[in-house]
Amino acid sequence: MTLSNVPVPLPQAAVQQQGLRFAFYGRVSTEDNQDPAASRAWQLRRARGLVEPKGGAIVAEYFDVDKSRSIPWARRPQASALIEALKNPVRDFDAVVVGEPHRAFYGNQYSLTFPLFEHFRVPLWVPEVGGAIDPANEAHDMIMGVFGGLSKGERNRIKIRVRSAMAAITATEGRYLGGRPPYGYELIDAGPHPNPAKAADGKRLRRLVPHPAYSLVVKWIFAQFIGGRGYFDIAEELTRQGVPSPSAADPDRNPHRVQVAWSKSAVRVIITNPRYTGRQVWNKQRKDEVLLDVDDVALGHTTKLRWNDRAQWVWSEQQAHEPLVSVEDFERAQAILASRGRGPTTHKPHRSRRPYAFRGCLHCGYCERRMQGNWNNDQAYYRCRFPAEYALANKVVHPKVVYLREAEIIEDIDTWLVTAFSPARIKATIEAMTAQATGTENTAATHLRKQLATCNQQLNQYRAALNAGADPAQVAKWINEAEQERARLEGELKTVPAGQAMSSDGLAELLRQTGELAQAVVRAHPDDKADLYAKLGLKMTYYPEKKLVEAEVIPTSTCANGACPRGDLNPHAP
């Protein structure tokens, strides 16, 4: 693109006569704890207050929601769309206005972004300079650089204050700071929040109490481990006895986890969790910002969770909840771990990220678990090692390792996607989906049935706790509450109406959009394919014995199915 093809901006003196068309850019993130609608409104109001008195009008808006200011413009959806619009010589705006530079620019982002505005000769207006930024004005450049530094400093100060407050609250109060409760505990109300403003909003404190059934399991695990049994031995015994694993105990939060058996890692997590001693512990992990690409610093950072040394953990000074094991037994278990060469703080750093195109999309046909990426001989493979990680007391038939090479299927999968969702096949796909819709179960009814299954599971657990010696009065109360909840759910299930199918026009539009996304997936760079496959709703199951990959695309609320043999992944082609 030559600069001669790009419109040249009018001088500011001509704004009153002809009026500039402006594109507005703003941003809000969850870190700001602010309503996106309110934030957009005041930023837009500030931008209009700058351009409208000078005859300008805002004709386009680009507003990023839920994106941290530390993310560069190229990785913000709306900011990157604005940059693409700058490159268009027939764009529908003449200039860009930013309502709040603190929200738009962070660190050195201004110095990396403004040259694009200069190159395409699009003025950038900000309230702090009273109009358009003058590239030749050193004061303007200095002001914008200061705003980027202030924005970065503000974010860093917030992080320091929050971390310091959490450390102090953990050490002095032992307050529960959020997250899911450890296996063996459940959460109960602990009164109003001490902050008056949060208490007025209805926020309340919570604390951990032992679960009537699972707390006994945790005590048994520690006793068996200290007695000399290993991870697999314990996992096999728990699976054989039908004790729900942590994932099975909370299936709504763990739909992606294997729930048919205990894993050795689940046993190890319990053995190494210090909160079973009754103390609250914080700062076991930290978030580090790591360069996304060391060869392109402008792409910014990505956040990585890293384990801290045990000396950096923050422990509550007093017991915060009822312990399930003594401090002595916990330390004895850690000593046993260390003697086996697998101590609680020997965490290996994560390897560098590889471009696995089917990350999170490929499942094992034996155990239905997601297959893990494995880089071998400079190629992407996917593997499932179920027998090496999970107990086999449930008689799951599974090879030692299931392997699949990405290069064997990726071209055929892309070919199938383009063919299956081509415009010529939309009518045939709608007819097939309509024929299958008769047996489709109502989503609300399915959700209620899952809740009923959870109630029944809880009742069995409470009865098991009663047999194990738990307080009869307390267990009876829990049983009555679960039975009341079950009766309520059964009543709601009877009133759920039958589901209604989407109209043919709606299906056609949905399939058209899915086809456009499929085309984008095929053209995408390998590093971007994984995210696009996920947006497309691609799910694949690999059956090694049949040498078959079964592919399924679920675009929002409907799905298109196709069975794809490894040798011919395009059975629907005309």
Side-chain angles (χ1 to χ4, degrees):
M1 181 184 298
T2 61
L3 294 181
S4 60
N5 294 330
V6 181
V8 179
L10 296 172
Q12 291 197 30
V15 171
Q16 287 283 2
Q17 297 177 358
Q18 299 188 28
L20 286 178
R21 300 170 302 167
F22 283 88
F24 160 75
Y25 177 73
R27 184 203 62 82
V28 65
S29 72
T30 54
E31 295 175 359
D32 300 320
N33 195 27
Q34 191 173 16
D35 174 31
S39 180
R40 172 190 167 277
W42 72 258
Q43 292 182 56
L44 186 58
R45 181 182 181 88
R46 196 161 186 255
R48 284 175 174 163
L50 173 64
V51 303
E52 289 180 354
K54 300 179 180 179
I58 294 176
V59 298
E61 294 184 24
Y62 297 85
F63 192 78
D64 277 308
V65 178
D66 198 22
K67 296 298 177 185
S68 170
R69 70 185 74 186
S70 64
I71 298 177
W73 277 48
R75 289 168 49 207
R76 300 182 199 169
Q78 292 298 311
S80 61
L82 175 57
I83 291 175
E84 289 301 314
L86 293 179
K87 302 174 184 178
N88 185 0
V90 292
R91 55 184 170 266
D92 57 359
F93 58 86
D94 308 306
V96 175
V97 59
V98 171
E100 175 54 70
H102 277 88
R103 300 295 178 96
F105 301 108
Y106 171 88
N108 64 344
Q109 288 175 2
Y110 168 76
S111 62
L112 295 174
T113 307
F114 187 67
L116 293 173
F117 289 86
E118 288 186 274
H119 177 78
F120 295 109
R121 300 188 180 183
V122 177
L124 175 63
W125 288 45
V126 294
E128 281 67 21
V129 300
I133 296 174
D134 183 358
N137 191 318
E138 293 182 1
H140 286 191
D141 189 67
M142 185 182 302
I143 289 172
M144 296 306 297
V146 168
F147 278 124
L150 291 174
S151 179
K152 184 176 181 179
E154 179 184 355
R155 181 171 179 266
N156 288 338
R157 285 194 301 274
I158 292 173
K159 289 170 60 177
I160 292 172
R161 286 198 300 267
V162 169
R163 291 184 60 82
S164 299
M166 293 179 74
I169 290 172
T170 300
T172 59
E173 301 179 25
R175 187 190 303 177
Y176 180 77
L177 298 176
R180 67 180 62 189
Y183 182 80
Y185 283 108
E186 58 185 355
L187 292 171
I188 64 170
D189 184 78
H193 199 283
N195 185 312
K198 293 184 177 181
D201 289 339
K203 292 183 172 62
R204 301 182 68 83
L205 295 179
R206 297 188 296 174
R207 65 183 179 89
L208 297 171
V209 296
H211 188 280
Y214 301 147
S215 60
L216 303 178
V217 176
V218 172
K219 294 177 181 179
W220 182 87
I221 289 174
F222 271 93
Q224 297 300 309
F225 185 77
I226 293 173
R229 300 182 73 171
Y231 296 146
F232 262 124
D233 192 12
I234 293 174
E236 289 280 1
E237 180 67 23
L238 291 170
T239 304
R240 188 179 301 110
Q241 296 296 329
V243 177
S245 66
S247 298
D250 195 359
D252 290 339
R253 282 187 172 182
N254 299 279
H256 60 294
R257 299 282 188 184
V258 173
Q259 300 173 12
V260 298
W262 278 77
S263 68
K264 64 178 184 181
S265 60
V267 176
R268 189 176 189 278
V269 166
I270 291 174
I271 293 294
T272 58
N273 193 336
R275 289 203 283 181
Y276 291 120
T277 64
R279 305 292 181 113
Q280 189 62 269
V281 181
W282 178 77
N283 201 38
K284 294 173 65 177
Q285 290 181 298
R286 68 183 187 277
K287 290 182 178 180
D288 285 349
E289 292 188 345
V290 181
L291 282 174
L292 195 65
D293 187 347
V294 294
D295 297 321
D296 189 358
V297 180
L299 288 178
H301 298 76
T302 184
T303 302
K304 296 288 187 182
L305 273 176
R306 301 270 174 82
W307 286 93
N308 286 324
D309 293 334
R310 195 175 179 187
Q312 296 178 282
W313 296 1
V314 178
W315 295 64
S316 61
E317 297 172 357
Q318 305 293 331
Q319 281 193 350
H321 47 266
E322 182 180 338
L324 299 186
V325 297
S326 66
V327 175
E328 292 76 15
D329 284 346
F330 180 79
E331 294 298 341
R332 190 176 298 118
Q334 309 318 300
I336 293 173
L337 277 176
S339 67
R340 295 179 182 178
R342 303 178 74 91
T345 57
T346 57
H347 299 283
K348 295 181 179 179
H350 294 290
R351 299 182 65 181
S352 59
R353 179 179 177 273
R354 301 288 190 179
Y356 295 105
F358 297 128
R359 185 176 68 249
C361 297
L362 189 60
H363 296 251
C364 174
Y366 288 102
C367 63
E368 300 182 357
R369 196 171 65 132
R370 282 193 178 96
M371 297 180 70
Q372 299 174 327
N374 180 243
W375 199 261
N376 194 7
N377 294 326
D378 293 328
Q379 294 188 70
Y381 284 78
Y382 299 88
R383 69 180 182 182
C384 180
R385 301 174 66 245
F386 185 94
E389 300 173 17
Y390 288 87
L392 297 177
N394 50 20
K395 307 302 181 184
V396 174
V397 178
H398 199 293
K400 185 175 181 180
V401 180
V402 173
Y403 258 111
L404 178 62
R405 187 162 62 97
E406 182 181 285
E408 293 184 48
I409 62 172
I410 190 166
E411 291 185 6
D412 293 327
I413 284 288
D414 285 349
T415 302
W416 169 73
L417 286 173
V418 173
T419 304
F421 294 99
S422 64
R425 291 194 53 81
I426 289 181
K427 183 178 179 180
T429 303
I430 291 176
E431 292 175 354
M433 294 171 66
T434 303
Q436 294 177 0
T438 305
T440 302
E441 191 174 23
N442 183 276
T443 303
T446 303
H447 182 65
L448 287 172
R449 288 191 178 92
K450 287 182 179 180
Q451 290 181 302
L452 276 171
T454 302
C455 277
N456 292 330
Q457 185 183 43
Q458 288 177 342
L459 286 170
N460 293 333
Q461 294 163 2
Y462 295 155
R463 294 186 181 104
L466 189 62
N467 295 332
D471 182 8
Q474 184 65 44
V475 174
K477 177 183 176 183
W478 289 327
I479 290 176
N480 290 334
E481 290 175 352
E483 288 179 341
Q484 291 174 6
E485 178 67 9
R486 183 173 64 177
R488 183 187 69 80
L489 293 170
E490 288 175 345
E492 289 187 10
L493 185 60
K494 294 178 181 179
T495 63
V496 172
Q500 296 181 351
M502 185 182 292
S503 67
S504 296
D505 291 341
L507 285 173
E509 175 61 21
L510 180 62
L511 291 173
R512 184 189 65 78
Q513 296 176 0
T514 304
E516 293 177 354
L517 184 55
Q519 292 282 355
V521 171
V522 174
R523 297 191 302 265
H525 188 274
D527 291 347
D528 302 324
K529 276 183 174 287
D531 293 335
L532 290 173
Y533 280 134
K535 291 180 181 178
L536 186 63
L538 177 66
K539 178 182 177 182
M540 300 181 296
T541 304
Y542 174 46
Y543 300 96
E545 291 183 344
K546 302 177 183 179
K547 292 187 177 180
L548 179 80
V549 173
E550 187 178 84
E552 177 183 48
V553 170
I554 308 176
T556 309
S557 59
T558 59
C559 62
N561 300 314
C564 307
R566 277 181 66 185
D568 179 13
L569 296 182
N570 191 19
H572 306 292

